[in-house]
Amino acid sequence: MRFHDRADAGRFLAGKLRDYRQHEDLIVLALPRGGVPVGYEVARSLGAPLDVFVVRKLGVPGHPELAMGAIAPGGICVLNPDVVSALGSDADEAIESVIADETEELKSREKRYRDDRPFPDMRDRVVILVDDGLATGATMRAAARAVRQQGPRKIVVAVPVAAETSCREFRDEVDEVICAVTDENFYAVGQFYEDFSQTTDEEVRELLARAARNQEGSE
């Protein structure tokens, strides 16, 4: 199964989440940038507010596409032990350097997407964490652990596509996992999309603004 684009995937995923429609104290948190078009469609369908939860992948120096872990607000750091061990004696230095760089980028992106808006209170709320797919799960795992620190009543991880093993592993990490499509031959999130072009910062800001207007109109 392939989706036309992230919006198409979001509409499909929203159908799997229909039990949460108009649920009291619900909030959808999307991982930018690619998770935001998916999260927008989910939030719109469920009648829920949308916000972003910025998480940064920790790429291996010289091979940034290879994730050795991820960081999230609140000092959360998740590492991939297999990748870290392959770095050998240089691991500690490499991790510290990348974490420092990505922490600055995380702060910059939070300001870029959220301006001066305070982060929503998640205590006793139902939080649906959304991304455009789940490969290794490092960034989503960091996000889930960071959100857990905020005291929500329930955390749901929801993605249109996922590696079967990653989806299964998350069942011990959060309260509910919804992977709309899984595949044993999963090798990349992009294989499930006809259009997997990069989401821009401008698109993220526009979708967040549009979601806020939707909420104002429904009140």
Side-chain angles (χ1 to χ4, degrees):
M1 179 174 181
R2 299 184 80 204
F3 300 108
H4 174 63
D5 56 14
R6 291 179 177 89
D8 181 32
R11 290 188 288 271
F12 183 82
L13 179 60
K16 305 293 184 180
L17 292 159
R18 63 174 65 91
D19 288 346
Y20 289 97
R21 194 167 292 155
Q22 302 298 336
H23 196 289
E24 188 177 354
D25 295 328
L26 177 67
I27 184 170
V28 175
L29 295 182
L31 274 57
R33 290 178 288 194
V36 177
V38 180
Y40 173 81
E41 296 296 337
V42 169
R44 185 174 66 86
S45 175
L46 301 183
L50 172 71
D51 214 318
V52 289
F53 198 80
V54 182
V55 183
R56 293 296 298 167
K57 179 177 75 174
L58 302 175
V60 172
H63 302 279
E65 72 287 347
L66 178 59
M68 60 180 176
I71 59 170
I76 297 296
C77 178
V78 175
L79 295 175
N80 183 326
D82 293 334
V83 176
V84 170
S85 64
L87 296 176
S89 59
D90 296 329
D92 289 345
E93 184 178 346
I95 290 169
E96 287 181 15
S97 175
V98 174
I99 285 177
D101 290 343
E102 292 300 340
T103 297
E104 288 304 309
E105 182 61 23
L106 187 151
K107 292 176 180 176
S108 173
R109 291 204 178 202
E110 280 194 322
K111 183 170 180 58
R112 198 178 313 160
Y113 301 146
R114 312 191 78 260
D115 294 322
D116 295 320
R117 286 186 298 110
F119 198 80
D121 187 356
M122 289 182 280
R123 284 174 296 180
D124 296 322
R125 299 185 75 172
V126 175
V127 178
I128 299 180
L129 279 167
V130 176
D131 203 355
D132 55 12
L134 203 62
T136 65
T139 53
M140 184 62 84
R141 187 166 284 107
R145 291 179 184 178
V147 168
R148 181 71 72 187
Q149 290 184 335
Q150 306 302 312
R153 184 164 78 251
K154 183 176 184 178
I155 300 176
V156 180
V157 164
V159 292
V161 299
E164 208 167 71
T165 53
S166 295
C167 189
R168 195 162 50 240
E169 288 167 0
F170 258 90
R171 302 194 190 286
D172 295 327
E173 193 79 36
V174 296
D175 301 294
E176 185 177 1
V177 183
I178 296 177
C179 303
V181 176
T182 59
D183 195 323
E184 291 181 353
N185 299 315
F186 185 104
Y187 62 86
V189 172
Q191 80 186 83
F192 295 90
Y193 290 85
E194 294 172 4
D195 178 3
F196 198 60
S197 53
Q198 192 174 71
T199 304
T200 66
D201 287 340
E202 292 72 22
E203 287 173 312
V204 170
R205 291 174 61 88
E206 166 56 26
L207 287 170
L208 290 173
R210 197 186 308 169
R213 291 194 296 270
N214 291 346
Q215 278 293 293
E216 290 172 2
S218 65
E219 293 175 355

